[in-house]
Every structure is written in C-alpha cells, then in structure tokens.
C-alpha cells in the first residue's frame, strides 16, 4: 500500500533514537490504538501520516508509548510517540518509518531529500501548491 502511493507520496526514514516528534505545528487527527501510527494536520492543510515500522500493528502496542491523544494540538518538536527500536527488530519487524503526505495530490510539487541525515529539526519534504 505504501509503495504504490495509494495513501499519498512519502518517504521512508530509518530512525536512530525511537522518538517521533511533530514536524510542524499541527492537530492530532488520528492516533491508532496501538500507537504505531499517527496522523497530523498542519494549520496550512498538510495532512501527514507517520507509520512506525512495517506490520508493527501486529505488536498490539507493545514497544510504543504515545505522549499525545487524538484532537491534541502540538507544536513543532513536541514528542508524539516513543518506541523501542530493538524490541521491534527483535520481534522480527522492521523499524523503517513511513512519512506520507496523505493529501499529496493537493500539491503541485513534492520534493524529498531522500539521502539527507537529520536530527529531526530540518525539513526533508518540500511541498508547493
């Protein structure tokens, strides 16, 4: 589903620290009960899904702790979810994290710095109308 861009265009991030932070000021539109995925909407209308790991829904929330709830308003840099990378990997799952602009069709341009290493404070996806 992710590779086909059925949910929108996005990138894969290989996390190093097991913390998902808000990439921009936003409202938490959806937080999956297992805390492995979260959807945000920015004040400018960007709809973003962060999906931690591949098939990690099967872990039923094990290794995931949310620090926000649905409908919360968050600021850029706020901690959203913490996860145990080693626990995920040792359970046989990948920690690769998908970051998808679910309304990417609303934007004329989608550019991503796919080889960029970042501490999470720099933009890696650039959109324009």
């Amino acid at each position: 589903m992710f590779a086909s861009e059925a949910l929108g265009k996005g990138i894969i991030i290989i996390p190093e620290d097991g913390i998902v932070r808000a990439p921009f000021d936003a409202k938490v539109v959806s937080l999956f009960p297992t805390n492995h995925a979260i959807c945000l909407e920015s004040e400018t209308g960007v709809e973003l899904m962060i999906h931690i790991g591949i098939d990690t829904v099967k872990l039923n929330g094990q290794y995931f702790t949310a620090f926000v709830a649905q409908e919360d308003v968050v600021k850029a840099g706020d901690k959203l979810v913490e996860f145990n990378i080693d626990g995920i990997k040792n359970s046989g799952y990948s920690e690769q994290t998908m970051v998808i602009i679910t309304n990417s069709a609303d934007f004329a341009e989608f550019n991503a710095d796919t080889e960029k290493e970042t501490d999470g404070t720099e933009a890696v996806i650039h959109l324009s109308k």
Side-chain angles (χ1 to χ4, degrees):
M1 180 158 350
F2 296 112
S4 70
E5 296 183 351
L7 295 176
K9 294 183 180 189
I11 61 172
I12 292 176
I13 293 176
I14 309 299
E16 293 182 358
D17 67 0
I19 297 174
V20 174
R21 296 192 180 274
F24 44 67
D25 295 353
K27 178 180 178 181
V28 177
V29 178
S30 178
L31 176 65
F32 286 65
T34 55
N35 298 328
H36 78 287
I38 188 168
C39 297
L40 306 173
E41 184 173 356
S42 77
E43 296 168 349
T44 60
V46 175
E47 297 172 6
L48 179 85
M49 173 190 247
I50 302 169
H51 188 284
I52 306 161
I54 298 174
D55 289 334
T56 51
V57 67
K58 295 175 183 173
L59 291 170
N60 294 316
Q62 185 178 13
Y63 308 121
F64 299 92
T65 303
F67 292 87
V68 295
Q70 195 162 311
E71 303 299 320
D72 282 357
V73 175
V74 297
K75 296 289 184 191
D78 285 354
K79 186 192 292 190
L80 305 176
V81 177
E82 191 170 88
F83 57 100
N84 182 315
I85 294 172
D86 290 335
I88 292 168
K89 289 165 67 173
N90 290 338
S91 295
Y93 298 93
S94 171
E95 79 284 13
Q96 292 180 345
T97 298
M98 282 67 66
V99 178
I100 301 161
I101 307 297
T102 57
N103 66 336
S104 57
D106 294 347
F107 296 90
E109 289 189 40
F110 172 97
N111 295 302
D113 298 326
T114 57
E115 299 299 321
K116 185 175 189 175
E117 287 190 33
T118 177
D119 63 1
T121 61
E122 300 172 69
V124 294
I125 296 175
H126 308 278
L127 304 168
S128 60
K129 288 267 181 175

